[in-house]
Amino acid sequence: MSTPPPRRVQVIDSHTGGEPTRVVVAGGPDLGGGTAADQLKVFREQHDHFRSAVVNEPRGSDVLVGAMLVEPADKSCVAGVLFFNNVGVLGMCGHGTIGLVVTLAHLGRIGPGAHRIETPVGVVTATLHADGSVSVANVPSHRKVKAARVQVPGIGEVAGDVAWAGNWFYLVGEHPWALDLKNAEQLTDAAWRIRQAVNSQGFPEVDHVELFGPPQAGGDSRNFVLCPGKAYDRSPCGTGTSAKLACLAADGKLAEGAPWVQESILGSRFTGSFRWLDRGTGAIEPTITGTAFVNSEATLLLDGRDPFCWGIR
Ligand code: PYC
């Protein structure tokens, strides 16, 4: 009896400010068409094993974000994309969109200029600049609650803003921790406890926790962003920076069009700015600019005989 050949999945890896993105360019499941939101539903409900095979160990790691290219329903878009991580799917991903654009350029599918990309939470416009940097005009973003207070076991009372920017964030400015890479374990533990308290005390939708501190690399602020699968973002987090812009706009602390340089825990930087969509509701369109580098082209082999074919989860 002959052994069936392994399934082949073509991927291109990149990193954006240190945060990796693995774009699935061929060999993904048939999701039946429709909008990116329709396709995300099928992906989540029927192909979770594929998600895990692409990003989890032994082929990936907890920090890897996957981006599956899909056919967009909106034909004005150059591509549709579904983002996912070690535990599930994401609505949007800023660093991942920058990685995707650099990957599409690497493949020769796009050149410099503005490109619309369909995500499950709306269309974003990504501009590839002549110097290789990428700006992403994100989905409409807003602050939902200012200074929501929660009791965090082992920490005490914490106050943070709840904001939407393609993912849900709890943004904490006042805390006792130094945002240094050497403290990553302590920061992860604190942010995870905060997330659990936030989820159980009125905001079940929050999936990312963002801590802020003074800049150390010439920016306006440094952050530490804990993602839903307990990995921290090595980049300043595109949606997290967008959420910060929504809070700054709501507080009148940043003028429309003015730059905000957000540093990550590594010191990598995104430059953000916003334009008002609706001052009454606090809705803004955030734009973040960063750079990404392609660092691998590979074919994943999914061999049904491998006990860890679908990833360790
Ligand atoms: O850049 O938006 C982002 C992001 C979300 C999760 C990891 N990175």
Side-chain angles (χ1 to χ4, degrees):
M1 218 171 69
S2 64
T3 309
R7 178 170 165 185
R8 302 174 80 85
V9 179
Q10 278 179 343
V11 300
I12 297 190
D13 290 354
S14 61
H15 79 88
T16 308
E19 179 77 351
T21 305
R22 173 165 288 172
V23 179
V24 176
V25 293
D30 179 0
L31 301 175
T35 64
D38 296 334
Q39 296 186 68
L40 186 75
K41 187 167 181 293
V42 176
F43 186 71
R44 190 177 51 218
E45 291 174 358
Q46 297 174 25
H47 300 282
D48 199 55
H49 57 294
F50 180 83
R51 171 195 64 74
S52 172
V54 171
V55 292
N56 281 343
E57 295 178 24
R59 295 182 195 85
S61 77
D62 281 355
V63 71
L64 188 55
V65 170
M68 200 165 92
L69 275 175
V70 296
E71 197 56 42
D74 180 339
K75 297 304 174 200
S76 69
C77 293
V78 69
V81 63
L82 312 180
F83 291 111
F84 51 97
N85 66 8
N86 55 334
V87 292
V89 297
L90 294 163
M92 227 305 273
C93 182
H95 93 268
T97 304
I98 295 171
L100 171 64
V101 166
V102 165
T103 295
L104 292 174
H106 174 77
L107 288 169
R109 295 193 191 173
I110 61 169
H115 306 281
R116 284 163 59 80
I117 296 170
E118 186 176 315
T119 82
V121 293
V123 172
V124 301
T125 300
T127 303
L128 175 61
H129 302 288
D131 67 356
S133 64
V134 178
S135 296
V136 180
N138 194 4
V139 294
S141 304
H142 68 280
R143 179 169 70 188
K144 179 182 177 187
V145 181
K146 181 178 168 71
R149 291 178 184 281
V150 294
Q151 286 298 330
V152 185
I155 292 177
E157 187 177 78
V158 173
D161 291 358
V162 177
W164 164 257
N167 296 301
W168 280 102
F169 288 82
Y170 185 72
L171 301 96
V172 181
E174 297 284 310
H175 58 79
W177 306 291
L179 298 192
D180 284 327
L181 196 53
K182 64 178 179 345
N183 298 337
E185 223 169 289
Q186 183 195 32
L187 293 165
T188 298
D189 177 65
W192 191 251
R193 284 168 193 257
I194 291 171
R195 177 176 166 191
Q196 286 171 315
V198 168
N199 287 163
S200 66
Q201 293 172 39
F203 306 100
E205 67 272 38
V206 168
D207 51 11
H208 291 71
V209 170
E210 188 164 5
L211 308 175
F212 292 91
Q216 298 175 33
D220 292 298
S221 160
R222 175 166 285 224
N223 69 12
F224 173 86
V225 181
L226 194 67
C227 298
K230 222 176 178 179
Y232 65 86
D233 198 329
R234 275 62 173 166
S235 84
C237 191
T239 51
T241 300
S242 300
K244 176 67 175 173
L245 292 167
C247 297
L248 289 165
D251 286 334
K253 289 187 173 163
L254 187 71
E256 186 173 30
W260 177 264
V261 179
Q262 187 64 60
E263 296 172 11
S264 73
I265 188 73
L266 299 189
S268 56
R269 309 187 330 168
F270 287 162
T271 300
S273 63
F274 76 90
R275 76 178 176 91
W276 283 110
L277 296 176
D278 183 341
R279 285 177 195 265
T281 62
I284 62 159
E285 178 189 71
T287 297
I288 53 140
T289 300
T291 50
F293 295 90
V294 169
N295 51 20
S296 170
E297 294 176 324
T299 303
L300 308 182
L301 301 179
L302 309 192
D303 182 339
R305 297 169 306 167
D306 175 357
F308 297 114
C309 174
W310 303 108
I312 301 170
R313 37 183 179 161

Coordinates of all heavy atoms in Angstrom, one line a residue, residues 16 19-21 63 65 83 85 90 92-98 138 165-167 169 208 225-228 231-242 270 288, ligand 1:
T16 N 7.4 42.2 11.4 CA 7.1 43.6 11.4 C 7.5 44.1 12.8 O 6.9 43.8 13.8 CB 5.6 43.9 11.2 OG1 5.1 43.1 10.0 CG2 5.2 45.3 11.1
E19 N 7.7 41.3 15.2 CA 6.5 40.4 15.3 C 6.3 39.6 14.0 O 6.1 40.2 13.0 CB 5.3 41.2 15.7 CG 4.0 40.5 15.9 CD 3.9 39.7 17.2 OE1 4.9 39.7 18.0 OE2 2.8 39.2 17.5
P20 N 6.2 38.3 14.1 CA 6.2 37.5 12.9 C 4.8 37.4 12.3 O 3.8 37.3 13.0 CB 6.7 36.1 13.3 CG 6.4 36.0 14.8 CD 6.4 37.4 15.3
T21 N 4.7 37.2 11.0 CA 3.5 36.9 10.2 C 3.8 35.8 9.2 O 4.8 35.9 8.5 CB 3.0 38.2 9.4 OG1 2.9 39.3 10.4 CG2 1.7 37.9 8.8
V63 N 4.0 32.9 19.3 CA 4.0 34.3 18.9 C 3.6 34.5 17.5 O 3.3 35.6 17.0 CB 5.4 34.9 19.2 CG1 6.5 34.4 18.3 CG2 5.4 36.4 19.2
V65 N 1.7 34.9 14.1 CA 0.4 35.2 13.6 C 0.2 34.8 12.1 O 1.1 35.0 11.3 CB 0.1 36.8 13.7 CG1 -1.2 37.2 13.0 CG2 0.0 37.2 15.2
F83 N -6.9 36.6 9.7 CA -5.8 36.6 10.6 C -6.1 35.6 11.7 O -7.2 35.5 12.2 CB -5.5 37.9 11.2 CG -5.0 38.9 10.2 CD1 -5.7 40.0 9.8 CD2 -3.7 38.8 9.7 CE1 -5.3 40.9 8.9 CE2 -3.2 39.7 8.8 CZ -4.0 40.8 8.4
N85 N -4.1 33.2 15.3 CA -2.9 33.0 16.1 C -3.0 31.6 16.8 O -3.7 30.7 16.3 CB -2.9 34.2 17.1 CG -4.0 34.2 18.1 OD1 -4.8 33.2 18.2 ND2 -4.1 35.2 18.9
L90 N -8.4 36.4 14.7 CA -8.4 37.8 15.0 C -9.3 38.5 14.1 O -9.5 38.1 12.9 CB -7.0 38.4 14.9 CG -5.9 37.8 15.9 CD1 -4.5 38.2 15.3 CD2 -6.1 38.4 17.3
M92 N -8.7 41.9 13.1 CA -7.8 42.6 12.2 C -6.4 42.5 12.8 O -6.3 42.0 14.0 CB -8.1 44.1 12.2 CG -8.2 44.8 10.8 SD -6.7 44.6 9.9 CE -5.7 46.0 10.4
C93 N -5.4 42.8 12.1 CA -4.0 42.7 12.6 C -3.2 43.7 11.9 O -3.0 43.6 10.6 CB -3.5 41.3 12.5 SG -1.8 41.2 13.2
G94 N -2.7 44.8 12.6 CA -2.0 45.8 11.9 C -0.6 45.4 11.5 O -0.2 45.6 10.3
H95 N 0.1 44.8 12.4 CA 1.5 44.3 12.0 C 1.4 43.3 10.9 O 2.2 43.2 9.9 CB 2.3 43.8 13.2 CG 2.2 42.3 13.3 ND1 1.2 41.6 14.1 CD2 2.9 41.3 12.7 CE1 1.3 40.3 14.0 NE2 2.3 40.1 13.2
G96 N 0.3 42.4 11.0 CA 0.1 41.4 10.0 C -0.3 42.0 8.6 O 0.1 41.5 7.6
T97 N -1.0 43.1 8.6 CA -1.3 43.8 7.3 C -0.1 44.3 6.7 O 0.1 44.2 5.5 CB -2.4 44.8 7.5 OG1 -3.5 44.2 8.2 CG2 -2.8 45.5 6.2
I98 N 0.8 44.9 7.5 CA 2.1 45.4 7.0 C 2.9 44.3 6.4 O 3.4 44.4 5.3 CB 2.8 46.2 8.1 CG1 2.0 47.5 8.5 CG2 4.2 46.6 7.6 CD1 2.6 48.2 9.7
N138 N -6.8 52.0 9.2 CA -7.5 50.8 9.8 C -9.0 51.1 9.8 O -9.5 52.1 9.4 CB -6.9 50.8 11.3 CG -7.3 49.5 12.0 OD1 -7.9 48.6 11.4 ND2 -7.0 49.4 13.2
A165 N -10.5 48.6 17.9 CA -9.7 49.1 16.8 C -9.5 47.9 15.8 O -8.4 47.7 15.3 CB -8.4 49.7 17.3
G166 N -10.5 47.1 15.7 CA -10.3 45.9 14.9 C -10.2 44.7 15.8 O -10.4 43.5 15.4
N167 N -9.7 44.9 17.0 CA -9.7 44.0 18.1 C -10.1 44.8 19.3 O -10.0 46.0 19.3 CB -8.3 43.3 18.4 CG -7.9 42.5 17.2 OD1 -8.5 41.5 16.8 ND2 -6.8 42.9 16.6
F169 N -9.4 46.2 23.1 CA -8.3 46.4 24.0 C -8.7 47.0 25.4 O -9.7 47.7 25.5 CB -7.3 47.4 23.4 CG -6.6 46.9 22.2 CD1 -7.2 46.8 21.0 CD2 -5.3 46.3 22.4 CE1 -6.5 46.2 19.9 CE2 -4.6 45.8 21.3 CZ -5.2 45.7 20.1
H208 N -7.2 41.8 24.2 CA -5.9 42.2 24.3 C -5.7 43.2 25.5 O -6.6 44.1 25.7 CB -5.4 43.0 23.0 CG -5.3 42.2 21.8 ND1 -6.4 41.6 21.2 CD2 -4.3 41.8 21.1 CE1 -6.0 40.9 20.1 NE2 -4.7 41.0 20.0
V225 N 2.0 44.7 24.8 CA 0.6 44.3 24.5 C 0.6 42.8 24.6 O 1.4 42.0 24.0 CB 0.3 44.7 23.0 CG1 -1.1 44.2 22.6 CG2 0.4 46.2 22.8
L226 N -0.4 42.3 25.4 CA -0.6 40.9 25.6 C -1.7 40.4 24.7 O -2.8 40.9 24.8 CB -0.9 40.5 27.0 CG -0.7 39.0 27.3 CD1 0.7 38.5 27.1 CD2 -1.2 38.6 28.7
C227 N -1.4 39.4 23.8 CA -2.4 38.9 22.8 C -3.2 37.8 23.5 O -2.9 37.3 24.5 CB -1.6 38.5 21.6 SG -0.6 39.8 20.8
P228 N -4.3 37.4 22.8 CA -5.2 36.5 23.3 C -4.6 35.1 23.7 O -5.1 34.5 24.7 CB -6.3 36.3 22.2 CG -6.2 37.5 21.4 CD -4.7 38.0 21.5
A231 N 0.8 35.3 24.3 CA 2.1 35.8 23.7 C 2.1 37.3 23.7 O 1.0 37.9 23.5 CB 2.3 35.2 22.3
Y232 N 3.2 37.9 23.9 CA 3.2 39.4 23.9 C 3.7 39.8 22.5 O 4.5 39.2 21.8 CB 4.1 40.0 25.0 CG 5.5 39.7 24.9 CD1 6.4 40.5 24.1 CD2 6.1 38.7 25.6 CE1 7.7 40.2 24.0 CE2 7.4 38.4 25.5 CZ 8.2 39.1 24.7 OH 9.6 38.8 24.6
D233 N 3.1 41.0 22.0 CA 3.4 41.5 20.7 C 4.8 42.1 20.7 O 5.1 42.9 21.5 CB 2.4 42.5 20.3 CG 2.3 42.8 18.8 OD1 3.4 42.7 18.2 OD2 1.3 43.2 18.3
R234 N 5.6 41.6 19.8 CA 7.0 42.2 19.7 C 7.0 43.5 19.0 O 7.9 44.3 19.1 CB 7.9 41.2 18.9 CG 8.6 40.1 19.7 CD 7.6 39.1 20.3 NE 8.3 38.0 20.9 CZ 7.7 37.1 21.8 NH1 6.5 37.3 22.2 NH2 8.4 36.1 22.2
S235 N 6.0 43.8 18.2 CA 5.8 45.1 17.6 C 4.9 46.0 18.5 O 4.4 45.5 19.5 CB 5.1 44.9 16.2 OG 3.7 44.9 16.4
P236 N 4.8 47.3 18.1 CA 3.9 48.1 18.9 C 2.4 47.8 18.8 O 1.6 48.5 19.4 CB 4.2 49.5 18.4 CG 5.4 49.4 17.6 CD 5.5 48.0 17.0
C237 N 2.1 46.8 17.9 CA 0.7 46.3 17.7 C -0.1 47.4 17.0 O -0.4 48.4 17.5 CB 0.0 46.0 19.0 SG -1.6 45.1 18.8
G238 N -0.4 47.1 15.7 CA -1.1 48.0 14.9 C -2.5 48.3 15.4 O -2.9 49.5 15.4
T239 N -3.3 47.3 15.8 CA -4.6 47.6 16.3 C -4.5 48.2 17.7 O -5.3 49.1 18.1 CB -5.5 46.3 16.3 OG1 -4.8 45.3 17.0 CG2 -5.8 45.9 14.9
G240 N -3.5 47.8 18.4 CA -3.3 48.4 19.8 C -2.9 49.9 19.7 O -3.3 50.7 20.5
T241 N -2.0 50.2 18.7 CA -1.7 51.6 18.5 C -2.9 52.4 18.0 O -3.2 53.6 18.4 CB -0.5 51.8 17.5 OG1 0.6 51.1 18.0 CG2 -0.2 53.2 17.2
S242 N -3.8 51.8 17.2 CA -5.0 52.4 16.7 C -5.9 52.7 17.9 O -6.6 53.7 18.0 CB -5.7 51.5 15.7 OG -4.9 51.2 14.6
F270 N 6.0 52.2 15.5 CA 5.0 52.5 14.5 C 4.7 54.0 14.7 O 4.6 54.5 15.8 CB 3.7 51.8 14.7 CG 3.7 50.3 14.4 CD1 2.7 49.5 14.9 CD2 4.6 49.8 13.5 CE1 2.7 48.1 14.5 CE2 4.6 48.4 13.2 CZ 3.6 47.6 13.7
I288 N -1.6 53.7 10.7 CA -0.3 53.4 11.4 C 0.7 53.0 10.2 O 0.4 52.5 9.2 CB -0.4 52.2 12.3 CG1 -1.1 51.0 11.7 CG2 -1.1 52.6 13.6 CD1 -0.5 49.7 12.0
Ligands
PYC1 O1 -0.5 44.4 15.1 O2 -2.7 44.6 15.3 C1 -1.6 44.0 15.5 C2 -1.6 42.7 16.2 C3 -2.6 42.1 16.8 C4 -2.1 40.9 17.4 C5 -0.8 40.9 17.2 N1 -0.5 42.0 16.5

